[in-house]
Amino acid sequence: MSELPWPHVTGPLATITDPATIRARTRRVLDAALAGETAFAVDLARLGPCVDFVMQVTTENYPSGDIPFHGRYEHLKAGGVDRLARLRAALGPTDRVEQARALVDLVVVSVLLDAGAGPAWRYVEDGVTYTRSEGLAVASAAMFMQGAFSHDGSPRVTADGLAALTAERVSRGMQVSPGNAMTGLEGRASLVKRLEASLRAAPALFPGGRPGGMVDALLAQPQPVTATSLLRLLLFGLSTMWPARVTLEGVGFGDVWPWRGEGPDAWIPFHKLSQWLAYSLVEPLEHGGVRFTGVEDLTGLPEYRNGGLFLDFGVLTLRDPSLARVELEAAHPAIVEWRALTVQLLDRVGDEVCRRMGKTKQQLPLARVLQGGTWSAGRAIAKQQRAQGLPPLTLKSDGMVF
């Protein structure tokens, strides 16, 4: 496709990139599960205790009730260190738009480098050890400040800088060694590497050949911008970066999966990483003056912390327990169903959390419920039930889906 269909999107491309489609297609799976026709049994009566635990964790984490978005910003503040302030200081005297460009640059590469790192990996900064998502955020921030993603050593991301990026450099930046192994290293390094082609292919979306150029593209739109429009900018602008599992009108999509059928009507879109990136970008883009509406339209994120929460509380139960003892690919029907059911159940949890807290969905969108929230609760219950807090299902991670 010579011209990316943004911001005006119609037809099948509008359908496959609409969060409403995610909800409608995943509802098919929930209906099948309730009819006893999927790999999972569903016990909705167990949702009450699950929500109780989510509320407990949320209150402990945010006693004031002021819950931020479930985005990369929170991970970048791990250990109480304001790395975003460090970046703004390193930029020197500049306006908020340029600051926002740099913040967007950082968030984009940090999100792309984030995926399950495995239980063994560690990252040490100033004598403090970080693991998992927090460790990945801290490591990516350090690489960014060192100019690992730019062609001139500056704290930004440029297409020319990514052209010179190697898996070995990512490995060094992540402190990977024989005694500090990381799951999915090659996958995440190749993903960031492919960002170069996307930046070059979509100059209207990424002016200046950097992710932060989207600040200018969004500021040029009538304000406020819908969150769905931001999601579509990411899906179309970064489409050449993902393994094109399915292609529609010349656009490839990575996190869209067939379920019980052929053709687009049988596809279940999740767009998990793109939605998390959208959640993560709202704050830096607002710093540059972009205003958003409809954030509550985006869905919950179907990843192993949220999905594990429902398995560990018995809301979901495998009909074939042996599936919990083998490594499953992301395309396995049980994983597609698990993720679809997670989207549906997160909506129900979100509605109940809003009710209990006396908030509307606009005041407490899923982006905040996840942060409060389900993601932390999923991590906490996993630690209680399994050594090293491993997820209840063993997933083969390629660094791009989970």
Side-chain angles (χ1 to χ4, degrees):
M1 176 169 289
S2 60
E3 185 175 346
L4 292 168
W6 186 89
H8 305 295
V9 188
T10 59
L13 284 176
T15 299
I16 204 68
T17 57
D18 189 342
T21 302
I22 302 175
R23 288 189 165 93
R25 303 282 173 89
T26 56
R27 178 67 201 218
R28 295 177 185 175
V29 181
L30 177 60
D31 289 344
L34 292 172
E37 300 170 352
T38 65
F40 297 90
V42 181
D43 183 358
L44 294 178
R46 295 296 303 163
L47 264 181
C50 180
V51 175
D52 290 341
F53 188 64
V54 171
M55 290 297 299
Q56 175 188 327
V57 171
T58 300
T59 301
E60 291 171 354
N61 289 343
Y62 303 98
S64 69
D66 185 15
I67 306 169
F69 276 21
H70 182 62
R72 203 53 165 163
Y73 260 25
E74 297 310 300
H75 294 150
L76 290 166
K77 299 173 185 175
V81 179
D82 193 341
R83 297 173 184 84
L84 302 171
R86 288 181 176 177
L87 172 56
R88 289 192 294 269
L91 294 173
T94 188
D95 61 26
R96 291 178 68 87
V97 173
E98 177 55 29
Q99 290 177 4
R101 294 187 190 107
L103 291 167
V104 167
D105 282 349
L106 170 57
V107 167
V108 168
V109 291
S110 188
V111 166
L112 296 181
L113 286 168
D114 187 79
W121 180 77
R122 302 287 186 272
Y123 184 85
V124 180
E125 178 194 69
D126 298 331
V128 179
T129 298
Y130 299 92
T131 63
R132 299 189 180 275
S133 288
E134 290 84 355
L136 291 164
V138 174
S140 60
M143 293 177 66
F144 184 84
M145 293 296 291
Q146 294 161 8
F149 308 108
S150 68
H151 64 282
D152 57 4
S154 64
R156 55 179 177 154
V157 177
T158 65
D160 288 343
L162 294 173
L165 189 67
T166 63
E168 290 75 19
R169 187 168 187 180
V170 174
S171 178
R172 289 195 304 272
M174 294 286 174
Q175 300 179 356
V176 173
S177 68
N180 190 32
M182 170 184 283
T183 301
L185 174 64
E186 292 293 332
R188 77 189 72 219
S190 66
L191 184 62
V192 175
K193 179 74 173 175
R194 288 200 298 276
L195 175 60
E196 174 202 354
S198 294
L199 296 176
R200 296 191 193 280
L205 303 187
F206 306 114
R210 53 188 293 199
M214 77 174 74
V215 176
D216 303 272
L218 288 163
L219 284 174
Q221 299 304 309
Q223 303 294 309
V225 177
T226 66
T228 296
S229 185
L230 170 60
L231 174 62
R232 285 172 170 154
L233 182 153
L234 298 172
L235 289 171
F236 296 134
L238 302 179
S239 63
T240 58
M241 194 175 65
W242 310 109
R245 296 183 175 95
V246 303
T247 301
L248 189 63
E249 297 187 13
V251 180
F253 297 96
D255 196 14
V256 177
W257 308 85
W259 185 72
R260 298 186 180 180
E262 301 294 333
D265 288 343
W267 295 348
I268 299 180
F270 292 115
H271 306 312
K272 176 259 173 180
L273 197 55
S274 297
Q275 288 201 85
W276 188 49
L277 182 53
Y279 283 146
S280 298
L281 286 171
V282 167
E283 290 175 282
L285 287 167
E286 286 182 336
H287 182 87
V290 182
R291 293 185 292 115
F292 287 101
T293 186
V295 174
E296 67 278 4
D297 293 335
L298 301 183
T299 76
L301 304 180
E303 47 80 50
Y304 69 85
R305 288 303 182 202
N306 292 320
L309 175 71
F310 299 122
L311 276 171
D312 285 337
F313 267 91
V315 183
L316 300 178
T317 306
L318 277 169
R319 297 184 186 278
D320 178 2
S322 69
L323 289 175
R325 298 191 291 272
V326 296
E327 187 177 65
L328 301 174
E329 299 275 356
H332 192 286
I335 296 299
V336 175
E337 291 173 356
W338 183 33
R339 300 182 72 203
L341 292 168
T342 296
V343 170
Q344 286 291 309
L345 293 170
L346 284 171
D347 271 346
R348 296 186 178 219
V349 170
D351 289 345
E352 180 61 13
V353 169
C354 283
R355 187 190 69 80
R356 295 191 189 188
M357 296 186 70
K359 304 283 189 180
T360 66
K361 288 184 180 181
Q362 290 75 26
Q363 294 169 324
L364 195 65
L366 279 170
R368 301 189 192 278
V369 175
L370 299 177
Q371 180 64 27
T374 59
W375 189 88
S376 297
R379 172 185 273 187
I381 193 66
K383 286 183 178 179
Q384 292 178 19
Q385 299 208 11
R386 287 172 298 280
Q388 298 180 312
L390 296 175
L393 296 183
T394 303
L395 310 168
K396 184 174 182 181
S397 173
D398 62 1
M400 300 179 202
V401 176
F402 294 97

